Amino acid sequence: MTSQNTKTEMLSGAAMVIRALADEGVEYLYGYPGGAVLHIYDALFQQSKVKHVLVRHEQAATHMADAYARASGKAGVVLVTSGPGATNAVTGIATAYMDSIPMVVLTGQVMSHLIGEDAFQETDMLGISRPIVKHNMSVRRPEDIPYLIKKAFYIAQSGRPGPVVLDIPKDMTMPHERYPYQYPESIKLRSYNPTAAGHPGQIKKAVTALLKAKRPVIYAGGGVIMGQAAEELTALARKLNYPVTNTLMGLGAFPAADRQFVGMLGMHGSYEANMTMHHADVILAVGARFDDRVTNNTKKFCPDATIIHIDIDPASISKTINAHIPIVGLVKPVLSAMLAQLEQKKAQPDTQALATWWQQIDEWRTVHGGHYDSDTAVLKPQAVIEAVSRITQGEAYVTSDVGQHQMFAAQYYKFNKPNRWINSGGLGTMGFGLPAAMGVKLNYPDADVVCVTGEGSIQMNIQELSTCKQYGLGVKIINLNNGYLGMVKQWQDMNYESRYASSYMDSLPDFVKLAEAYGHVGIRVTKPEELQPALEKAFAHKDQLVFLDIHVDPKEHVYPMQVPGGAINDMFLSKTKRT
Amino acid sequence: MRHIISVLLENEPGSLARVVGLFAQRGYNIDSLTVAPTEDATMSRLTLVTHGNDQVIEQITKQLHKLIEVVKLQDLSESAHVERELMLIKVKATSGEQRDEVKRCADIFRGQIIDVTAKTFTIQVVGTSDKLDAFIEALKGSAIIEVVRSGVSGIARGEKTLTL
Ligand SMILES: Cc1ncc(C[n+]2csc(CCOP(=O)(O)OP(=O)(O)O)c2C)c(N)n1
Ligand SMILES: [Mg+2]
């Protein structure tokens, strides 16, 4: 068939929105209807390719889409109405932005001729979202819809990924006004061409510096996860036999069970990871951004280290810490190129220096080693995570909320695969955990999906238990119930002489009954010996949501914890011990 | 250090707001900003004067580059360039003595008197920002009524260009 014979389809703006999503390969759309998007919802109703998930609050739609993106690497898609629908999505957009997660958010808007008149449910969503998106656009002519949707996906998923908002005035979607539809196969922008391969000269320099190292460390972040480069990173690390530390966002980029893994680094990083960093002479930073929660005081950061920094975003390089060998590019091809050069080179790492270095690291491992008081009558949150890690063999998708429970999950769950640890690292959004778990479970129905949460965080999006029922999302909720906004309490213990200003929550609901009221299974655990049977029971319920309300020690603190203003290796190791 | 950054920007709704928003969000300074379409109406050229240490300026240029609508940019102050700013200044000129003094001053700065009334002169001066500052300083004696400055526009000298 020649293109001349092809009859161009004529579609309404609303139908084009849905059709473009289908042509983009989108299976699920997360959203909530309202006046400005009713034409689009009607178009959605009249087809079956794109399925819609009706949440109970728009924030949850954004987190579901976001978590799908974190697990799959592909952009999640959200549809919300104008005004309050759009503003409810703001926290989720900011969450995705801070962690560089690809997402396309379609927001309804009032009719074009009403824009600027303070019309009913009008908010300037382009203005509101500008600082928290990779890009945003609005539809000015219905016939541009296919192009704009393609552009939104292209921008969201390429380079350093991020959320893109497309604002759609209602009159762009009129059902009876039809326009020729054609979905562009690809898009080229003169103003946006992200680099892919790194500079060969810089890569060569980096390999030379790496081979000269006597006390090397590989510091890998979320860029390795989103850049689908865990395999290359692992191969490189194993070839060199260098220690690896992952950031909070990078957990799973290198298997936790591997001897070369020294744990997470940073504020609640392991003693050995922070010590290894501080004493390193060469740091290979891969898809990580020297965030303040990693570096602690930048002036005292790793004084002896030559820093090699691979990142897709040039603005992340030398932003807080100066990089000696910067490499701008996608981590995957850059790591592959480094590996290829190592294969060819006759030079080997300095095995003797490396042996001494490993001996030192192994000594550091004995200092704290994730120790916590385990033989107590009250259940310890760390023990719960260890048990969950065992029962799921480090293979589950684990989402979390924000607080102590999040740090315990990061420290004690042994992530052996990338894209399995799903948490809001940059924004620290309480309320993320449950919707995130839902987004993963919907797309990976056969996988174990665990949401580690706290009694504070879970209540921020508890209404989604209803959505879980509607779509049969059998996630396992591990509620580490300590009766406090524990992380706040910990700071108050350490810095405010235990004055617990608003960190205690009275009148908590009976979570077991609450889960049951929503049609799920609820199990309460109050004693250490009840834990294992409860977990076994929970994971045996393959298709049911099980809410485990686990009462843990309210006095527990997260350690290690960096001393404010100190170097990366200045840490509190327990309530009584510091480095 | 003072820097003049030239930016080629897609001439789309909201693209200027994005540039200005970036400076506000990240706490960068804007000393002056001019913007207008180029010979190609789909593109605007923006000239931004800012100051900061090397690290801040590096971040500014990198963050500007990240904006999807920024096509190209150049730090003009890194090499030989010409910069010009236009100023319109209205001064009180009532007595004959005052009027002579203002005229003399305008001549020295190669200014042009572009509007005259019985009580005022309006003068146009073009030059570097320093020159305009100096002119204001020179007129301090007479009563300045109103000052309008365009902000700096600049272009690289010689072969160097900022074009597609
Ligand atoms: C939306 C939001 N509001 C406030 C905070 C500040 N904050 C961080 S951790 C925390 C306490 C969380 O309590 P809980 O969910 O019970 O977890 P725990 O620390 O007790 O494990 C708070 C209030 C936040 N991160 N997000
Ligand atoms: Mg709590």
Side-chain angles (χ1 to χ4, degrees), chain A residues 158-422:
Chain A
S158 56
R160 179 177 182 173
V164 175
V165 166
L166 182 61
D167 206 38
I168 312 177
K170 188 169 184 180
D171 53 323
M172 298 295 119
T173 60
M174 302 313 263
H176 300 299
E177 294 167 14
R178 285 159 201 265
Y179 305 87
Y181 171 84
Q182 201 175 23
Y183 196 61
E185 250 166 50
S186 64
I187 242 169
K188 226 177 125 50
L189 299 173
R190 65 178 171 185
S191 62
Y192 174 71
N193 296 295
T195 331
H199 189 280
Q202 291 295 93
I203 293 177
K204 212 167 176 180
K205 255 201 213 161
V207 171
T208 309
L210 267 181
L211 288 175
K212 273 204 209 128
K214 298 209 179 309
R215 299 182 313 279
V217 63
I218 299 174
Y219 148 50
V224 178
I225 307 282
M226 289 316 288
Q228 313 287 338
E231 206 179 300
E232 289 77 4
L233 179 91
T234 306
L236 182 80
R238 292 217 173 111
K239 172 131 191 80
L240 292 166
N241 186 30
Y242 287 178
V244 183
T245 176
N246 286 157
T247 68
L248 178 67
M249 299 311 297
L251 292 175
F254 189 78
D258 197 295
R259 192 193 59 86
Q260 279 171 250
F261 188 58
V262 294
M264 179 172 79
L265 81 168
M267 175 164 263
H268 292 297
S270 73
Y271 176 82
E272 49 270 35
N274 287 339
M275 292 297 279
T276 304
M277 283 291 287
H278 187 78
H279 291 95
D281 68 345
V282 175
I283 296 175
L284 174 63
V286 193
R289 61 186 177 94
F290 297 89
D291 173 89
D292 54 287
R293 290 279 145 126
V294 161
T295 59
N296 210 4
N297 188 342
T298 50
K299 291 198 182 71
K300 300 180 184 167
F301 182 74
C302 302
D304 305 331
T306 298
I307 293 172
I308 307 165
H309 191 178
I310 309 172
D311 204 288
I312 185 61
D313 181 4
S316 283
I317 293 177
S318 300
K319 181 165 70 179
T320 57
I321 297 291
N322 188 46
H324 304 95
I325 307 176
I327 305 174
V328 177
L330 290 169
V331 290
K332 198 179 174 83
V334 172
L335 289 175
S336 296
M338 290 177 81
L339 261 171
Q341 287 197 17
L342 281 173
E343 303 284 350
Q344 288 170 3
K345 275 219 163 148
K346 284 187 200 80
Q348 293 290 322
D350 183 339
T351 41
Q352 209 169 354
L354 206 51
T356 318
W357 184 225
W358 272 116
Q359 201 175 7
Q360 171 67 77
I361 293 168
D362 286 336
E363 254 168 60
W364 285 330
R365 276 177 160 150
T366 63
V367 175
H368 179 261
H371 174 80
Y372 63 92
D373 229 355
S374 50
D375 47 309
T376 51
V378 269
L379 196 47
K380 291 287 180 176
Q382 299 95 324
V384 178
I385 303 296
E386 285 183 329
V388 173
S389 187
R390 266 194 312 270
I391 203 165
T392 55
Q393 295 167 338
E395 300 267 315
Y397 287 90
V398 180
T399 74
S400 97
D401 270 300
V402 176
Q404 291 183 318
H405 61 271
Q406 173 191 26
M407 291 302 128
F408 290 134
Q411 292 174 329
Y412 293 92
Y413 193 95
K414 301 280 167 249
F415 291 97
N416 287 320
K417 288 186 177 163
N419 305 87
R420 299 288 165 117
W421 164 238
I422 292 176

Side-chain angles (χ1 to χ4, degrees), chain B residues 44-61:
Chain B
S44 294
R45 170 118 174 197
L46 195 140
T47 311
L48 233 154
V49 179
T50 182
H51 61 270
N53 61 31
D54 289 352
Q55 205 199 349
V56 170
I57 300 298
E58 183 179 330
Q59 268 298 309
I60 290 177
T61 55

Side-chain angles (χ1 to χ4, degrees), chain B residues 60-76:
Chain B
I60 290 177
T61 55
K62 284 173 166 180
Q63 294 292 348
L64 278 170
H65 251 306
K66 269 173 78 171
L67 298 179
I68 304 293
E69 287 134 338
V70 168
V71 183
K72 269 187 176 177
L73 65 83
Q74 192 178 59
D75 186 344
L76 282 181

Side-chain angles (χ1 to χ4, degrees), chain B residues 68-130:
Chain B
I68 304 293
E69 287 134 338
V70 168
V71 183
K72 269 187 176 177
L73 65 83
Q74 192 178 59
D75 186 344
L76 282 181
S77 26
E78 273 184 349
S79 52
H81 64 279
V82 184
E83 59 169 288
R84 289 291 180 271
E85 189 177 357
L86 174 109
M87 174 165 70
L88 305 178
I89 180 162
K90 192 178 286 182
V91 294
K92 207 186 272 172
T94 39
S95 69
E97 193 185 332
Q98 230 176 0
R99 291 174 88 91
D100 286 347
E101 170 63 20
V102 170
K103 259 193 229 152
R104 212 168 330 149
C105 219
D107 281 344
I108 295 171
F109 284 83
R110 294 180 204 277
Q112 290 167 277
I113 297 174
I114 54 170
D115 187 46
V116 182
T117 68
K119 289 181 184 156
T120 67
F121 274 157
T122 303
I123 308 147
Q124 168 187 308
V125 193
V126 175
T128 62
S129 304
D130 283 349

